[in-house]
């Protein structure tokens, strides 16, 4: 057997090890509470939004994989890939924030802290996810509808 046969196993193992390293590195920076609410209270209050966000993320990735593998979109299209990543990165944040509309900014921050706790990432990581999602989405939409190369 050649290297190409085993390459997915090697890259998967490397990616898994890197994610474990990153989780350990981020662990001290993950919020444990917000104001007077504990992590358990925040998780309970935002459970639906967090689950919906995770389902939307996985669903978007699966739909994108199907579209690329089935030939519905060109496999070398950075625009479609960027559009997919923008939606996949912004969908969880939107799902967590959607129930907080009209309830004030403090409630929105609570929801984002609950999401950070559930995903075991610092708040800066949540902000980075949102920022990267916006960059991917706007560059893809600008290129797809703006007509530039």
């Amino acid at each position: 057997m050649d290297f190409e046969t085993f390459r997915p196993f090697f890259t998967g193992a490397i990616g898994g090890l890197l994610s474990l390293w990153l989780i350990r590195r981020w662990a001290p920076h993950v919020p444990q509470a917000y104001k007077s609410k504990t992590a358990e209270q925040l998780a309970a209050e935002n459970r639906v939004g967090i689950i919906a966000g995770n389902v939307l993320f996985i669903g978007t990735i699966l739909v994108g994989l199907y579209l690329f593998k089935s030939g519905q979109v060109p496999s070398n299209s950075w625009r479609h890939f960027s559009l997919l990543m923008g939606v996949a990165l912004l969908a969880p944040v939107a799902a967590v924030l959607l129930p907080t509309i009209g309830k004030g900014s403090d409630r929105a921050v609570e929801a984002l802290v609950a999401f950070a706790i559930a995903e075991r990432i610092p708040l800066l990581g949540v902000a980075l996810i949102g920022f990267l999602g916006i960059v991917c989405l706007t560059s893809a939409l600008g290129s797809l509808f703006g007509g530039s190369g």
Side-chain angles (χ1 to χ4, degrees), residues 20 22 31 33 36 44 49 61 66 74 76 79 89 101 104 113-114 118 126 130 147:
L20 289 174
L22 190 59
S36 63
I61 297 296
Y66 168 76
N76 61 349
R79 292 170 183 97
L89 292 171
I101 292 176
V113 170
V126 175

Side-chain angles (χ1 to χ4, degrees), residues 5-105:
T5 305
F6 290 105
R7 187 173 55 101
F9 298 110
F10 293 132
T11 56
I14 291 169
L17 290 172
L18 285 174
S19 67
L20 289 174
W21 173 81
L22 190 59
I23 287 171
R24 266 183 210 232
R25 186 100 170 132
W26 276 354
H29 306 289
V30 175
Q32 298 303 313
Y34 181 73
K35 295 197 176 181
S36 63
K37 294 187 178 182
T38 65
E40 292 80 22
Q41 289 173 310
L42 291 168
E45 291 176 6
N46 296 284
R47 185 173 322 278
V48 172
I50 292 168
I51 291 171
N54 288 332
V55 167
L56 286 171
F57 176 77
I58 298 292
T60 303
I61 297 296
L62 291 176
V63 167
L65 283 172
Y66 168 76
L67 291 174
F68 278 99
K69 289 289 188 181
S70 68
Q72 301 292 323
V73 295
S75 62
N76 61 349
S77 173
W78 72 266
R79 292 170 183 97
H80 292 96
F81 179 75
S82 184
L83 182 66
L84 166 74
M85 290 309 297
V87 171
L89 292 171
L90 286 176
V93 177
V96 168
L97 289 177
L98 197 62
T100 68
I101 292 176
K103 296 181 182 175
S105 61

Side-chain angles (χ1 to χ4, degrees), residues 126-144:
V126 175
L128 184 62
I129 288 169
F131 175 74
L132 290 175
I134 290 169
V135 168
C136 287
L137 196 59
T138 55
S139 67
L141 292 175
S143 178
L144 285 170

